[in-house]
């Protein structure tokens, strides 16, 4: 097990595409996965029943469906000396298995404690594309499992984008603590509480004085700032949570639940605001005119409007020189929100840090005239044909500055 790599959570994974008979066990009366010969590398040669957590994931539901159960691994010809071994993997019917359909992705992952994680991801979905990228496996066939073990190559190192995918699997990677000097500074600077998101983002940037969104390029700067803020946030959060948990929640179940929800909601909202804060810093450094949260029509508020609301409301201002940008750490189905945020602007731009969005979803975005803006380091997580239509942060800032120049010259 190597800290900071997938091997910290999995000793190996097996991935296949579900066939009709596997996905519909009720009608077929079969509760076994096919093509399991390769699983001997992962599960061994002995009959064994594994505790398993079952998860169903799709792009349509914000939260995964989770159920507990077991998986039984056995040789169906164990007592037939004249026949070669024929291994099978039996699964019970669960709330997850009944959601399965032909073409869905199946992942059997063995954890360091010996238990299994059985993931079913909707076929053709973004989460399927992300799981394949996360584990470094090409789209598998219907006939058998693709196996990976060790999981300690450069591909398996956990970083910001892969951490977001792991969280969807119910795994929250532990972010390395910042040096103690940073914690001492934050406690003194913020008085032992979380400051506003814009103040915290500014502090995170100040700890990387060598990162400049012009000389270092904005793509590198954005990812460096996001990763540094994540480390600093988790360091301060761990300290403050430890202090609160030490006080306990004796006979206060509601208080504990409320506290837990507050922690989760703060994590989710902070990440989104951090992305906006750091992107705003890039605009300021590049002296780009913009307005954050400007109103357009029907109370809509694009995250960023270029050059601003006065130009947008001026019907004499050339609409082709206007730009809007939505910023979302992850998309799922929320990308549709930007469609109604600025009617005068035909092509909507959307910044996201989400890796490996599916071909189906990027095609749908293109059909709706949405241009994805993705930091350059994440482009490689997309298929080659998808990469051709992606815009990086550098290209976006160059485009906006060019429009501003054209507007000034007209």
């Amino acid at each position: 097990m190597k800290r900071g790599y997938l091997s910290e959570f999995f000793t190996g994974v097996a991935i296949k595409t579900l066939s009709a008979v596997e996905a519909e066990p009720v009608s077929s009366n079969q509760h076994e996965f096919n093509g399991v010969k390769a699983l001997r590398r992962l599960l061994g040669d002995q009959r064994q029943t594994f505790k398993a957590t079952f998860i169903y994931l799709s792009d349509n539901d914000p939260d995964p469906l989770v159920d507990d159960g077991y998986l039984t691994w056995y040789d169906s010809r164990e007592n037939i000396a004249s026949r070669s071994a024929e291994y099978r993997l039996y699964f019970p019917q669960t709330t997850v298995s009944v959601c399965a359909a032909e073409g869905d992705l199946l992942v059997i992952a063995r954890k360091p404690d010996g238990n299994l994680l059985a993931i079913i991801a909707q076929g053709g979905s973004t989460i399927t594309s992300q799981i394949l990228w996360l584990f470094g496996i090409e789209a598998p066939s219907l006939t058998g499992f693709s196996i990976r073990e060790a999981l300690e190559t450069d591909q398996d190192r956990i970083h910001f984008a892969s951490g977001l995918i792991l969280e969807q699997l119910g795994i929250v990677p532990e972010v390395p603590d910042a040096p103690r000097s940073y914690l001492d500074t934050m406690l003194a600077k913020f008085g032992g509480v979380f400051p506003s998101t814009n103040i915290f983002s500014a502090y995170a940037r100040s700890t990387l004085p060598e990162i400049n969104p012009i000389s270092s390029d904005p793509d590198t700067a954005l990812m460096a700032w996001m990763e540094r803020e994540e480390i600093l946030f988790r360091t301060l959060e761990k300290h403050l949570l430890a202090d609160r948990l030490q006080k306990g929640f004796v006979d206060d179940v509601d208080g504990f639940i409320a506290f837990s929800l507050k922690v989760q909601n703060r994590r989710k909202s902070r990440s989104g605001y951090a992305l906006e804060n750091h992107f705003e810093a890039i605009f300021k450094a590049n002296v780009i005119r913009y307005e954050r949260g400007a109103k357009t029509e029907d109370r809509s508020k694009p995250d960023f409007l270029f050059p601003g609301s006065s130009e947008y409301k001026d019907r004499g201002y050339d609409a082709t020189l206007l730009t809007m940008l939505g910023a979302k750490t992850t998309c799922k189905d929320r990308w549709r929100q930007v469609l109604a945020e600025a009617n005068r602007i035909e092509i909507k731009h959307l910044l996201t840090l989400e890796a490996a969005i599916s071909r189906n979803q990027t095609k749908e975005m293109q059909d709706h005239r949405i241009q994805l803006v993705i930091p350059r380091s994440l482009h490689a997580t997309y298929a080659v044909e998808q990469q051709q239509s992606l815009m990086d942060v550098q290209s976006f800032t160059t485009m906006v500055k060019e429009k501003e120049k054209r507007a000034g010259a007209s």
Side-chain angles (χ1 to χ4, degrees):
M1 177 171 49
K2 194 173 180 180
R3 187 175 175 83
Y5 288 75
L6 291 177
S7 60
E8 189 174 349
F9 305 101
F10 309 107
T11 59
V13 294
I15 298 180
K16 79 182 300 285
T17 300
L18 288 178
S19 64
V21 72
E22 293 169 314
E24 301 173 9
V26 176
S27 60
S28 66
N29 199 31
Q30 179 174 321
H31 284 244
E32 293 171 343
F33 296 120
N34 299 323
V36 300
K37 184 178 180 180
L39 284 176
R40 294 177 69 179
R41 287 170 49 188
L42 199 65
L43 305 181
D45 296 323
Q46 303 300 314
R47 180 185 180 96
Q48 188 171 353
T49 296
F50 297 90
K51 289 183 179 179
T53 299
F54 295 84
I55 300 177
Y56 179 79
L57 297 159
S58 74
D59 293 343
N60 301 321
D61 297 317
D63 298 310
L65 181 64
V66 181
D67 203 351
D68 290 322
Y70 62 89
L71 286 165
T72 299
W73 174 245
Y74 69 102
D75 176 9
S76 63
R77 297 173 177 173
E78 183 177 6
N79 298 317
I80 306 176
S82 60
R83 303 290 298 277
S84 58
E86 184 177 285
Y87 284 88
R88 295 179 180 177
L89 184 63
Y90 173 87
F91 63 93
Q93 182 170 311
T94 65
T95 55
V96 169
S97 67
V98 297
C99 293
E102 181 181 6
D104 285 354
L105 188 74
L106 169 67
V107 181
I108 304 294
R110 188 164 188 177
K111 300 191 290 185
D113 62 6
N115 294 336
L116 300 180
L117 184 64
I119 304 163
I120 297 176
Q122 183 183 34
S125 64
T126 286
I127 187 58
T128 285
S129 176
Q130 291 173 338
I131 289 173
L132 291 173
W133 170 75
L134 178 70
F135 291 116
I137 293 179
E138 296 292 328
S141 68
L142 293 167
T143 57
F145 283 89
S146 296
I147 308 287
R148 278 203 67 213
E149 298 174 281
L151 303 177
E152 293 183 349
T153 67
D154 287 342
Q155 160 72 29
D156 305 310
R157 187 177 66 83
I158 298 172
H159 46 74
F160 191 88
S162 52
L164 293 176
I165 299 170
L166 285 171
E167 288 184 9
Q168 295 186 71
L169 306 182
I171 297 169
V172 181
E174 185 174 350
V175 176
D177 289 339
R180 177 70 201 195
S181 59
Y182 286 119
L183 177 59
D184 292 340
T185 298
M186 289 188 288
L187 292 174
K189 189 178 184 69
F190 306 137
V193 297
F194 281 108
S196 64
T197 56
N198 62 321
I199 290 176
F200 198 83
S201 293
Y203 171 70
R205 292 193 298 273
S206 74
T207 66
L208 291 170
E210 71 280 9
I211 297 294
N212 183 292
I214 299 176
S215 61
S216 299
D217 87 70
D219 289 270
T220 299
L222 181 63
M223 293 306 294
W225 288 341
M226 287 295 295
E227 290 180 355
R228 175 54 62 89
E229 178 162 346
E230 184 73 8
I231 290 172
L232 293 174
F233 174 82
R234 293 294 182 92
T235 298
L236 180 58
E237 181 188 58
K238 183 185 293 186
H239 176 83
L240 298 181
L241 290 184
D243 183 60
R244 178 64 185 88
L245 292 173
Q246 192 173 29
K247 296 175 182 177
F249 294 89
V250 179
D251 298 325
D252 187 11
V253 175
D254 290 339
F256 174 78
I257 293 174
F259 175 75
S260 177
L261 289 174
K262 182 179 179 181
V263 170
Q264 294 178 52
N265 291 334
R266 180 169 56 208
R267 284 184 176 182
K268 291 177 181 178
S269 63
R270 180 204 56 82
S271 182
Y273 283 123
L275 180 59
E276 293 181 33
N277 293 336
H278 296 314
F279 217 49
E280 184 174 29
I282 289 172
F283 300 146
K284 290 180 177 179
N286 284 275
V287 196
I288 292 173
R289 289 184 58 206
Y290 70 94
E291 194 169 335
R292 186 172 174 178
K295 289 184 180 180
T296 54
E297 301 89 2
D298 300 324
R299 301 180 184 178
S300 294
K301 290 184 178 181
D303 293 322
F304 295 98
L305 186 63
F306 307 84
S309 56
S310 59
E311 290 81 3
Y312 185 84
K313 293 174 183 177
D314 181 1
R315 291 293 166 175
Y317 193 88
D318 186 351
T320 64
L321 300 180
L322 297 169
T323 306
M324 68 138 291
L325 176 76
K328 299 185 185 299
T329 310
T330 59
C331 292
K332 281 197 175 280
D333 208 38
R334 295 183 300 127
W335 62 269
R336 298 175 183 278
Q337 294 171 2
V338 306
L339 295 176
E341 289 182 344
N343 293 342
R344 288 193 67 195
I345 300 174
E346 184 178 2
I347 298 177
K348 323 288 188 183
H349 287 77
L350 176 62
L351 169 71
T352 183
L353 304 183
E354 190 160 22
I357 295 175
S358 70
R359 291 178 175 86
N360 292 341
Q361 193 169 59
T362 55
K363 174 63 167 57
E364 189 175 2
M365 289 176 175
Q366 289 175 338
D367 292 344
H368 284 84
R369 310 283 285 173
I370 288 181
Q371 171 62 61
L372 278 175
V373 181
I374 296 176
R376 193 179 309 114
S377 62
L378 298 179
H379 283 207
T381 69
Y382 289 77
V384 174
E385 64 268 26
Q386 290 175 294
Q387 293 178 33
Q388 297 172 0
S389 65
L390 300 180
M391 177 179 280
D392 61 20
V393 178
Q394 177 76 68
S395 299
F396 179 81
T397 56
T398 299
M399 179 198 71
V400 175
K401 289 180 72 173
E402 179 59 30
K403 285 187 177 183
E404 192 174 313
K405 186 185 299 184
R406 285 164 51 200
S410 61

